[in-house]
Amino acid sequence: MVAPSILSADFANLEKEVKAIAAAGADWAHVDVMDGHFVPNLTIGIPVVKALKKVSPIPLDVHLMITEPEKYVADFVKAGADYLTIHVESTKDPATVLRQITSLGAKAGITLRPGTPVESILPLLPLCELVLVMTVEPGFGGQSFMADQIAKISVLRSEISKKNLKCLIEVDGGINAETAKLCHEADVFVAGSYVFGKDYAQAIASLR
Ligand code: DX5
Ligand code: ZN
């Protein structure tokens, strides 16, 4: 699956952009939420997710890069997040937040910074429908792919098959037609600058 990150879209025309990526074959719209604390950047929040939900033909895959996500997950689910992913480093009790997301009716996801060992999230996989491997330091679009993160995908793939889990593996950061090949064990490919920087349908097809 392909999930273009609307972080690289034209923010003055988000309705047009989300409809355009859907028409171009995108499976999900990836929405990057940043709070200026967990990452050194500010992007968008609950009102934008709510507005997008009204017009998006495809599911919203919301990536929370915020501290204390437990304070906001209910509002994000209410606003229309289909998948809601939290960072393992962002809260004292990720398991409780993941259960909270599921009980609210959304699909829970876990992710980690490049510097965080993959072992830190393995016990959480049974609580998730999505696990996201960051292949850049979270915070900005348009950065270079970190090849040293690929090994995490293999570890997750074997854990998921060993324990027969239903978790999808997603990869995010510096993804283009070349780097996507290196991540062939993943299920979902997030791409921001690559998709929005060229013909959307062509970019999405090349990732597939
Ligand atoms: C980075 C975000 C990514 C970002 C990807 O913190 O999580 O989703 O938008 O952008 P590209 O594909 O340009 O690396
Ligand atoms: Zn993201």
Side-chain angles (χ1 to χ4, degrees), residues 99-115:
R99 285 194 189 95
Q100 192 186 353
I101 293 168
T102 304
S103 72
L104 290 161
K107 296 184 171 77
I110 191 72
T111 186
L112 72 178
R113 292 179 181 280

Side-chain angles (χ1 to χ4, degrees), residues 22-50:
D27 297 281
W28 301 348
H30 184 83
V31 182
D32 287 305
V33 176
M34 307 187 191
D35 68 351
H37 293 275
F38 185 73
V39 289
N41 194 9
L42 285 163
T43 55
I44 57 171
I46 294 150
V48 176
V49 171
K50 192 174 172 190

Side-chain angles (χ1 to χ4, degrees), residues 5 7 30 32 34 63 65 134 138-142 172-174 190-193:
S5 165
L7 188 58
H30 184 83
D32 287 305
M34 307 187 191
H63 175 192
M65 287 160 273
M134 290 303 302
F140 299 91
D172 179 11
V190 176
S193 48

